[in-house]
């Protein structure tokens, strides 16, 4: 596959992915060779480490490289490149999804703290209890997690915000998100999400908009840190 065939979207991480793919194709990085550390690539390319990380995720989807968490990033042989479907040109980077969720869902939580009915609060607790019961069942856990956030958005009482939340959660279905998120699917992380939700629920029970906003922001900061701190 020629780098010219890679997605032509304007997103910065795709531009960096195309540049690195071209360097791999041109032989600067040979098959089996380990790429420079993330920090070094960021300095060389004059971009953030987050952009480099997302470019590497795109290259792994394209089968140019293999990311071995904790051991480095290695160039794959040309014979296996391009066998998987490429990410869509407009595929949103995980960091952008997380940043948008932090803004939107924090405000829905603040509104929900003021507007949620007792019945809505009960349903949120039931969803979080379901998460706690299904720590070892990823599909069931994810469904309960999505339901919890959906119920918070619904309780906010603003259909526009609720629609934004739904759209942001749909973005989690992208290949870029899955490649990252699958590397963070540890039982301890799922337990942490349950505990984070408990903090949010306590803020709701006190009808404290400020506490609910802060609790939701902290919850999403935890998710973001898993992406930023993942050792490639």
């Amino acid at each position: 596959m020629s780098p010219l065939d890679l997605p032509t979207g304007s997103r910065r991480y795709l531009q960096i992915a195309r540049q690195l793919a071209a360097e791999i194709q041109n032989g600067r990085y040979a098959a089996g060779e380990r790429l420079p550390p993330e920090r070094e690539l960021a300095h060389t390319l004059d971009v953030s480490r987050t952009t480099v990380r997302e470019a590497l995720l795109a290259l792994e989807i394209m089968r140019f490289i293999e990311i071995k968490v904790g051991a480095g990033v290695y160039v794959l042989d040309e014979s296996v490149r391009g066998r998987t479907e490429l990410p869509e040109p407009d595929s949103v980077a995980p960091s952008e999804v997380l940043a948008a969720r932090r803004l939107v869902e924090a405000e829905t939580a603040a509104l929900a703290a003021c507007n949620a009915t007792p019945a809505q609060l009960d349903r949120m607790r039931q969803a979080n209890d379901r998460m706690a019961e299904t720590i070892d069942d990823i599909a069931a856990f994810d469904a309960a997690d999505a339901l919890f956030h959906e119920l918070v958005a619904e309780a906010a009482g603003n259909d526009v915000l609720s629609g934004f939340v739904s759209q942001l959660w749909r973005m989690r279905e992208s290949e870029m998100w899955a490649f990252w998120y699958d590397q963070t699917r540890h039982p301890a992380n799922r337990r942490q999400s349950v505990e984070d939700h408990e903090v949010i629920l306590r803020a709701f029970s006190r009808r404290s908009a400020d506490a609910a906003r802060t609790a939701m922001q902290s919850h999403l900061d935890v998710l973001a840190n898993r992406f930023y701190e993942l050792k490639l």
Side-chain angles (χ1 to χ4, degrees), residues 18-210:
R18 288 197 299 275
Q19 181 175 339
L20 289 173
E23 291 176 350
I24 290 172
Q25 293 286 66
N26 293 336
R28 178 174 180 181
Y29 301 113
E33 183 178 350
R34 181 179 178 178
L35 291 185
E38 189 179 83
R39 186 184 301 276
E40 183 178 330
L41 284 173
H43 177 74
T44 301
L45 298 167
D46 193 27
V47 294
S48 70
R49 292 180 65 182
T50 298
T51 298
V52 169
R53 174 157 298 190
E54 289 164 342
L56 294 176
L57 287 175
L59 286 176
E60 185 168 41
I61 292 172
M62 299 167 190
R63 300 300 294 157
F64 273 77
I65 62 170
E66 180 181 7
I67 298 174
K68 299 180 179 179
V69 177
V73 179
Y74 294 83
V75 178
L76 291 175
D77 189 86
E78 188 174 359
S79 64
V80 302
R81 294 175 198 163
R83 290 186 177 180
T84 59
E85 187 176 323
L86 302 179
E88 294 295 326
D90 292 327
S91 181
V92 178
S95 63
E96 294 182 356
V97 176
L98 289 165
R101 285 187 63 192
R102 191 181 193 276
L103 288 171
V104 175
E105 292 199 58
E107 291 312 309
T108 62
L111 287 171
C114 301
N115 299 330
T117 66
Q120 288 172 323
L121 292 174
D122 284 343
R123 291 183 66 198
M124 290 179 211
R125 293 189 186 95
Q126 290 169 12
N128 203 44
D129 288 345
R130 177 61 175 162
M131 289 171 63
E133 295 165 357
T134 58
I135 293 294
D136 296 321
D137 183 340
I138 291 176
F141 180 92
D142 284 354
D145 187 16
L147 177 60
F148 178 88
H149 285 267
E150 177 185 330
L151 292 170
V152 171
E154 179 183 301
N158 184 307
D159 289 342
V160 174
L161 280 176
S162 181
F164 287 158
V165 171
S166 295
Q167 182 178 358
L168 288 168
W169 272 76
R170 284 194 295 273
M171 290 178 181
R172 290 164 49 104
E173 300 170 4
S174 72
E175 278 187 298
M176 283 290 292
W177 183 278
F179 258 68
W180 161 66
Y181 197 58
D182 284 350
Q183 298 178 66
T184 69
R185 287 184 177 280
H186 308 305
N189 289 345
R190 292 194 286 278
R191 293 189 188 94
Q192 180 65 57
S193 291
V194 173
E195 293 171 7
D196 290 349
H197 288 181
E198 290 289 352
V199 176
I200 294 168
L201 287 168
R202 286 198 292 271
F204 289 165
S205 68
R206 302 198 308 272
R207 296 294 181 183
S208 173
D210 288 341

